[in-house]
Amino acid sequence: MKLNRRTLNIALAAASLGGMLPATALAQKKIVLGFSQVGAESEWRTANTESIKASAKEAGFELKFSDAQQKQENQIKAIRSFIAQKVDVIAFSPVVESGWETVLREAKAAKIPVVLTDRSVNTKDDSLFVTFMGSDFVEEGRKAGRWLVEKMKDQKDTVNIVELQGTVGSAPAIDRKKGFEEIIKADPKFKIVRSQTGDFTRAKGKEVMEAFLKAEGKKINVLFAHNDDMAIGAIQAIEEAGLKPAKDITIISIDAVKGAFEAMIAGKLNVSVECSPLLGPQLMSAVKDIKAGKPLPKRIVTEETIFPMEVAAKEFPNRKY
């Protein structure tokens, strides 16, 4: 009897262990990704968010998503919440470049790797993030500048430019301005007569363009907008002022969203420099590599082109955002 009970206990323990093994294998933990988004200020950002959500689902990740509504303090709160929840990887698109050191050190202390998407941060310690993936904003500004220089190469008179900048302190606003100025400064006929933030939104783009038109009127030859949404807002202001966009004022913008193609097809926008928001697949691939212990380059650059209005109708059916 004693022996039988012992045998039975051993058999029960073995059965229990046998049942546990497949369960352990099945319960292979999902990768948890915490992502803090800038907001939903433009068509570009909406497409970027959709790309990240769809790609995380496809990769089988658990995505903890937070919308910062264009406020840095909201992003810092979200990152601290991700740290507290012990996510596997944190990714975020920083609202502005500076002011991240403290929270990034907290993530590093918690041994949670950080990936920067679309925008970078200004830090002396680049061990605080694994990689930065996204566009080369300086090059986008240069592309805009090169297109303008080529278009107006035969013009002898001064070219008065007004500039709608992106969010103050953001990487795309700083870098696109830098790249554009780097190209046009070679020819003294190009002059930026007004430059102000439109915060990457249509409403603010329209409002600031109205102020530019009141101040400069018909002296404005060119509008350089740091994104399509501001350009589209500005087009409304130009039309309401009785001027013809893309004819009376040459309009250059950046992003190449569908709205820009529609404006180009309608003959109201001259050119849009591409900045792809479809970073989701690239981000999920990087997260998998991090979890697998594979090294990643510090900088992953998105390949992009430029679309003048002449090719807009042909290219429009290919646009995904």
Side-chain angles (χ1 to χ4, degrees):
M1 180 76 182
K2 217 172 187 181
L3 184 67
N4 285 348
R5 188 175 292 154
R6 187 168 172 239
T7 308
L8 184 65
N9 286 344
I10 290 166
L12 284 169
S16 161
L17 280 170
M20 277 170 67
L21 288 172
T24 311
L26 283 171
Q28 200 173 11
K29 208 165 75 65
K30 267 188 175 186
I31 291 173
V32 182
L33 171 64
F35 186 84
S36 174
Q37 181 60 285
V38 172
E41 78 281 7
S42 61
E43 278 185 44
W44 191 99
R45 191 62 58 190
T46 305
N48 182 239
T49 292
E50 283 168 6
S51 173
I52 286 156
K53 286 182 174 176
S55 301
K57 191 176 179 183
E58 199 177 311
F61 293 179
E62 184 186 335
L63 179 68
K64 293 186 182 293
F65 185 90
S66 173
D67 180 339
Q69 299 175 318
Q70 289 178 283
K71 292 188 173 76
Q72 184 177 29
E73 59 267 31
N74 291 347
Q75 282 198 306
I76 290 169
K77 267 185 215 161
I79 293 165
R80 287 196 168 125
S81 166
F82 296 151
I83 294 167
Q85 292 173 73
K86 297 184 167 64
V87 302
D88 294 304
V89 178
I90 292 170
F92 74 111
S93 181
V95 177
V96 293
E97 283 194 337
S98 57
W100 301 103
E101 294 263 346
T102 306
V103 76
L104 289 179
R105 286 191 192 287
E106 289 167 25
K108 190 179 178 181
K111 295 186 168 52
I112 300 173
V114 174
V115 175
L116 305 175
T117 71
D118 167 46
R119 300 178 178 186
S120 190
V121 297
N122 190 356
T123 174
K124 291 189 182 82
D125 181 2
D126 69 2
S127 75
L128 296 177
F129 62 92
V130 178
T131 186
F132 161 44
M133 62 175 58
S135 307
D136 182 337
F137 300 132
V138 177
E139 185 54 30
E140 287 170 357
R142 288 188 194 119
K143 283 177 183 167
R146 287 186 202 113
W147 182 88
L148 178 62
V149 166
E150 176 58 28
K151 180 178 169 63
M152 302 206 166
K153 63 183 177 193
D154 298 328
Q155 190 160 319
K156 301 287 183 280
D157 299 335
T158 298
V159 177
N160 292 317
I161 304 163
V162 294
E163 179 182 33
L164 282 168
Q165 292 184 50
T167 304
V168 175
S170 71
I174 294 163
D175 292 350
R176 286 170 183 170
K177 182 175 181 63
K178 182 181 170 185
F180 183 74
E181 287 179 353
E182 182 188 304
I183 298 300
I184 64 164
K185 72 178 180 190
D187 189 337
K189 79 179 174 199
F190 293 107
K191 285 192 169 55
I192 297 175
V193 291
R194 300 263 161 179
S195 182
Q196 196 177 318
T197 180
D199 219 17
F200 285 129
T201 68
R202 287 190 191 197
K204 198 77 192 293
K206 183 182 183 211
E207 183 191 311
V208 177
M209 191 66 203
E210 283 168 351
F212 286 166
L213 286 160
K214 272 180 193 154
E216 303 292 339
K218 291 183 179 176
K219 286 190 280 182
I220 299 170
N221 307 117
V222 175
L223 162 65
F224 171 44
H226 286 191
N227 82 337
D228 292 332
D229 278 73
M230 291 190 295
I232 291 162
I235 285 166
Q236 280 183 280
I238 291 164
E239 288 181 315
E240 284 170 16
L243 296 168
K244 287 184 179 166
K247 292 179 180 71
D248 296 326
I249 297 174
T250 297
I251 304 173
I252 307 164
S253 69
I254 298 177
D255 276 355
V257 297
K258 279 184 177 174
F261 277 78
E262 285 160 357
M264 286 192 279
I265 292 163
K268 295 178 181 184
L269 177 69
N270 298 84
V271 65
S272 187
V273 176
E274 186 179 31
C275 176
S276 176
L278 308 178
L279 300 178
Q282 215 172 12
L283 173 59
M284 303 315 143
S285 171
V287 170
K288 281 177 187 170
D289 285 348
I290 289 166
K291 288 302 289 173
K294 291 181 188 171
L296 282 173
K298 206 71 192 171
R299 181 75 171 94
I300 301 168
V301 180
T302 316
E303 281 187 25
E304 292 152 344
T305 185
I306 181 166
F307 298 100
M309 60 158 49
E310 294 76 17
V311 304
K314 182 171 167 278
E315 287 290 339
F316 184 70
N318 306 324
R319 305 312 289 161
K320 289 181 182 162
Y321 54 91

